[in-house]
Amino acid sequence: MAYIVPGSENQQSNTTNDYAISCWSSFGIAFDIDGVILRGRVPVGDSPQALARLYAPSGSLNVPFLFLTNGGGIPESRRATELTQLLRLHILPQQVVQGHTPFKNLLTRFENELIVATGKGEPAVVMSEYGFKRVLSMDEYSSYFNGIDPVSQYKAWMPEDVGSKTSRSAPRYDVSRERVKAAFVISDPVDWGRDIQVLCDILRSGGLPGQENGLQPPLYFAADDLEYQAAFKSKRLGVGAFRIALESIFNRIHYNALEYTIYGKPNPFVFKNAEEILNKIFLSQCVHHSESPNRSHCLKTLYMIGDNPAVDIKGAKQAGHPWFSILTRTGVFRGEDNHSEFPADLVVDTVEEAVDYIFKRESSSQPPFSSSESLITNSPLLFTQTTIFVIWRRLDNAPLCHPKKLRKIDVGHLNDNINIKLRSY
């Protein structure tokens, strides 16, 4: 087996950047964002440098990875662009899995039905990009009902144009007669009071506010994080806190308990979906696999790096093989020891330490050369100042790496006896 070293020769150091990654990658990584990679819009520590080590010098991926976050509110394509700007790395939309990403699986059920979406950001835009054809944001929907929010006139913090433009024009749908068939909480809402009031109206009336009690429409939450780490030094209430408030109030005013479905971590489905996406990224994006003869190759180990034991670590543990959980002390979790209720497989201070550990663990698990593999002594050698390129093959002439995809192999010392380090990590 041939091995590659990420980074160019002028980036070599005594860190695990020096460790080689196999031409046949066997692992992938899922990163949480808030509290691990970013705090607000600011990178946490050297997180961009840690991520950069997963790329080849050409800028293509060496190691398949994605962002697995319960956050959201904007389309995955826009989030990828935002991450690209903040981290100065090329992030693809397929590398962004948000809490509401699985909502697209409900398209066949609600594609042509009237639905309402709420949460910070642009919830209606998110659902429209998934293919839902008749979706209204909570801002627009509530603006069509005079007095549905009894304290709206006191909300001086709201821009004057929020809802006013749509209220002065004809509704896109006849909301006074057409029932809402489902409600989606995309992310933590901005106006909790209004959203709890209007959702209670929708859910207990059977989808038609102001009417008598009816059958509750389906309610979906993109996540259930009670707290998360944002820019402020203390944890902030998340969409899980909103769900608790809504459920508590609804159950006090309605004869039936609130029914709902929660997506996002720690749902095992989310981790299964992430596993499938990581394998697709490996097959389509990783430079060393693009011409591999084994197109059915699957990743043997998947690492979840997160800061929330009840979300990231619990989810990875519930998902089981091939997930390995790593808990950082940069966000929700700050303890010295492992979390007592949801212990991780490994606890580290930073995401840089997590990536360093992964490189060491994976390189040490790579098999050494077997008797069926050998370096052909008459292979062409191309010299640079610090690196030799070696084109080599198995004894049975089956190629291991296409020459166009060949990476750099460290050189020990250049003298009459050239010593080539083929690192068997």
Side-chain angles (χ1 to χ4, degrees):
M1 185 166 302
Y3 294 86
I4 57 177
V5 178
S8 58
E9 53 265 44
N10 61 4
Q11 293 174 322
Q12 298 297 316
S13 68
N14 292 325
T15 70
T16 51
N17 276 324
D18 290 332
Y19 288 96
I21 299 180
S22 169
C23 182
W24 295 85
S25 180
S26 61
F27 68 99
I29 308 175
F31 295 90
D32 185 27
I33 296 180
D34 295 318
V36 175
I37 302 299
L38 299 173
R39 277 197 180 181
R41 296 180 60 84
V42 179
V44 176
D46 292 328
S47 59
Q49 289 83 344
L51 293 171
R53 291 162 59 185
L54 308 179
Y55 289 80
S58 64
S60 300
L61 284 178
N62 257 352
V63 177
F65 78 91
L66 54 74
F67 298 99
L68 188 60
T69 174
N70 278 351
I74 59 175
E76 286 75 9
S77 58
R78 197 180 307 174
R79 185 62 162 152
T81 300
E82 181 181 273
L83 290 169
T84 296
Q85 295 170 348
L86 295 174
L87 301 172
R88 297 185 178 182
L89 296 167
H90 181 51
I91 307 299
L92 301 170
Q94 71 186 103
Q95 290 178 275
V96 179
V97 181
Q98 303 185 105
H100 47 69
T101 301
F103 284 171
K104 63 181 67 175
N105 297 324
L106 297 169
L107 184 62
T108 55
R109 183 176 177 185
F110 298 109
E111 179 179 4
N112 296 301
E113 303 287 0
L114 179 62
I115 62 173
V116 170
T118 188
K120 65 186 178 185
E122 299 176 275
V125 173
V126 169
M127 298 300 284
S128 294
E129 288 212 358
Y130 291 159
F132 295 90
K133 293 182 171 59
R134 308 179 73 239
V135 53
L136 294 175
S137 69
M138 182 63 78
D139 286 340
E140 181 176 356
Y141 184 78
S142 61
S143 71
Y144 296 142
F145 295 88
N146 290 327
I148 197 169
D149 179 6
V151 295
S152 60
Q153 67 269 31
Y154 301 104
K155 296 176 181 177
W157 51 269
M158 293 185 67
E160 291 183 2
D161 288 340
V162 172
S164 60
K165 292 181 179 179
T166 53
S167 62
R168 288 194 295 267
S169 60
R172 290 189 287 153
Y173 311 109
D174 188 358
V175 296
S176 64
R177 294 184 180 183
E178 187 173 359
R179 296 182 183 275
V180 173
K181 295 301 175 64
F184 294 83
V185 182
I186 300 294
S187 56
D188 39 319
V190 175
D191 188 348
W192 281 34
R194 180 202 65 186
D195 287 10
I196 289 175
Q197 176 66 75
V198 178
L199 282 173
C200 284
D201 290 333
I202 293 172
L203 297 171
R204 65 177 175 172
S205 67
L208 202 59
Q211 301 299 310
E212 296 295 326
N213 291 334
L215 184 64
Q216 181 200 314
L219 171 64
Y220 300 95
F221 290 90
D224 201 40
D225 295 39
L226 179 63
E227 296 178 303
Y228 68 100
Q229 186 65 59
F232 194 69
K233 61 182 180 179
S234 298
K235 294 172 283 188
R236 302 292 86 191
L237 297 177
V239 67
F242 175 81
R243 191 267 305 163
I244 292 172
L246 172 62
E247 183 176 16
S248 177
I249 294 172
F250 184 89
N251 290 349
R252 291 290 297 271
I253 64 176
H254 194 55
Y255 52 84
N256 286 332
L258 183 66
E259 296 180 359
Y260 51 85
T261 301
I262 298 173
Y263 286 83
K265 300 173 294 185
N267 192 324
F269 164 81
V270 173
F271 287 82
K272 182 63 177 177
N273 183 51
E275 179 180 352
E276 294 175 357
I277 295 174
L278 282 168
N279 276 296
K280 289 179 181 178
I281 292 173
F282 173 76
L283 292 171
S284 63
Q285 300 297 329
C286 291
V287 293
H288 52 275
H289 192 266
S290 60
E291 305 216 15
S292 165
N294 183 12
R295 298 296 293 176
S296 62
H297 176 83
C298 290
L299 302 170
K300 295 179 181 179
T301 306
L302 301 177
Y303 295 90
M304 177 68 230
I305 304 177
D307 68 310
N308 193 329
V311 175
D312 304 308
I313 307 308
K314 179 182 178 181
K317 289 291 190 181
Q318 287 180 337
H321 179 79
W323 289 93
F324 183 99
S325 58
I326 302 179
L327 180 61
T328 69
R329 297 186 176 96
T330 51
V332 172
F333 178 75
R334 300 294 180 87
E336 292 185 7
D337 300 320
N338 209 335
H339 193 264
S340 57
E341 186 176 1
F342 305 111
D345 294 310
L346 176 71
V347 180
V348 296
D349 287 333
T350 65
V351 69
E352 306 96 276
E353 290 183 23
V355 172
D356 192 56
Y357 170 83
I358 292 171
F359 272 52
K360 290 180 179 178
R361 184 175 189 260
E362 289 297 323
S363 59
S364 64
S365 68
Q366 295 291 348
F369 293 103
S370 67
S371 59
S372 64
E373 298 178 359
S374 174
L375 181 66
I376 305 301
T377 56
N378 63 354
S379 297
L381 302 179
L382 307 177
F383 291 86
T384 68
Q385 289 182 347
T386 62
T387 306
I388 290 180
F389 288 84
V390 181
I391 301 175
W392 68 290
R393 61 189 184 276
R394 292 180 185 268
L395 290 178
D396 60 5
N397 291 326
L400 284 173
C401 292
H402 192 279
K404 290 182 179 180
K405 304 300 180 183
L406 195 65
R407 312 309 316 158
K408 295 178 180 177
I409 299 175
D410 274 4
V411 173
H413 45 67
L414 296 177
N415 53 29
D416 293 338
N417 262 335
I418 296 176
N419 177 23
I420 302 174
K421 290 183 180 177
L422 291 174
R423 298 188 173 188
S424 56
Y425 290 102

